[in-house]
Amino acid sequence: MLKLGVMASGGGSNFQAILDRISSGDLDACCKFLIVNNGGCGAVERARKANVPVFHISGKTHPNVAEYEAALCKVIEDAQIDLLILAGYMKALPLSVLKLLPSRILNIHPSLLPKFGGKGFWGIHVHEAVLLAHEKESGPTVHLVSKEIDGGRILAQRKVPVYSDDTPEVLAARVLEQEHDIYWRTIQEYGSSL
Ligand code: GRF
C-alpha cells in the first residue's frame, strides 16, 4: 500500500478524487496527512471528513523561513511517505523539501506541458492563455516536481478538445474532470513502479 502525503491550497477537488479512489479500493494507498498554506481552504474540510490529519504551515504560522521549512520537513519526514502529492498547492516548495523526496513529488497542472506552464500560468490564467492562442486541444499533465516551476519529468497527459465557443471556465471544467481521473491512475502506476 502506498503511503501518500498531500499538499493543497484551494478547493481540493483533486484531493477529494484521490480520497474517493482510496475508499473505493481502486487506489491501493492511504493518506497520512494534508498540508495547507491556507487554513480556510476547502481541502481542510475534505481532510477532516476523511480523518486525515491537517497541518497548516505557512508564512503566517511560521514567519521565520528556517522554522517554516523545518516544520514542513518534520511533518513529511515523520509520516514516512512514499509519494508527496501536490493537489492545487500554490506555493513553490523549498529546496529542503525537494531534497527529502527526490523523484517522489508529483504535481498536476491543467495544460499540456510544456505549453502554458511556468511563472504566471496558474488557475484560470492557464485556460485564458490556451483560448487566446487558439489551441485545438488542452488537458492535464501529471509531472514530477523539480526546481523549475512545472518543469519536471512528465508522467502522464490527457488531451481534451478545445471548442471555439469555450470560455475559460468551461474549458477549466472539461480539463478538471480529466484531472480527477488521470491523477489517481498515475499515482497508482508510478507508485508501484518505484
Ligand atoms: C487544478 O486545476 C490543478 O491542475 C491545479 O490547481 C487546481 C486545483 O484544483 N494545480 P482543486 O483544488 O483540486 O479543485
Side-chain angles (χ1 to χ4, degrees):
M1 178 185 285
L2 286 171
K3 285 192 268 174
L4 309 177
V6 175
M7 297 178 78
S9 305
S13 71
N14 274 288
F15 173 47
Q16 186 67 56
I18 291 165
L19 290 175
D20 290 346
R21 292 297 180 159
I22 290 176
S23 40
S24 70
D26 294 324
L27 174 57
D28 185 21
C30 60
C31 184
K32 305 288 280 181
F33 62 76
L34 173 74
I35 293 176
V36 296
N37 61 334
N38 161 15
C41 72
V44 170
E45 195 45 38
R46 297 178 191 275
R48 295 238 157 91
K49 284 197 179 126
N51 286 320
V52 172
V54 178
F55 298 89
H56 177 198
I57 302 174
S58 68
K60 267 193 191 162
T61 60
H62 297 77
N64 176 292
V65 178
E67 285 171 16
Y68 162 75
E69 291 194 22
L72 282 178
C73 288
K74 180 163 173 34
V75 171
I76 293 166
E77 280 188 307
D78 284 356
Q80 302 261 299
I81 52 173
D82 300 302
L83 292 176
L84 181 61
I85 305 299
L86 306 189
Y89 188 68
M90 303 307 275
K91 208 170 150 41
L93 290 183
L95 210 56
S96 52
V97 170
L98 295 181
K99 281 184 180 159
L100 285 181
L101 293 159
S103 300
R104 284 172 183 263
I105 308 178
L106 273 59
N107 184 43
I108 190 157
H109 183 81
S111 76
L112 297 171
L113 290 173
K115 284 186 165 183
F116 309 103
K119 208 165 182 276
F121 288 112
W122 57 274
I124 204 71
H125 305 301
V126 174
H127 307 292
E128 287 167 352
V130 168
L131 293 177
L132 212 63
H134 302 289
E135 293 289 313
K136 294 281 173 282
E137 49 192 19
S138 188
T141 301
V142 180
H143 64 94
L144 293 179
V145 175
S146 67
K147 274 185 285 182
E148 295 75 35
I149 302 175
D150 301 326
R153 174 155 76 88
I154 291 172
L155 299 180
Q157 290 187 312
R158 175 92 47 93
K159 288 180 181 168
V160 304
V162 178
Y163 300 116
S164 54
D165 59 349
D166 276 347
T167 62
E169 290 75 18
V170 166
L171 177 58
R174 192 177 304 127
V175 172
L176 190 64
E177 195 185 339
Q178 296 306 317
E179 292 184 35
H180 295 162
D181 189 61
I182 197 175
Y183 213 1
W184 75 267
R185 289 181 193 277
T186 310
I187 291 166
Q188 179 75 75
E189 217 173 286
Y190 183 70
S192 46
S193 78
L194 291 171

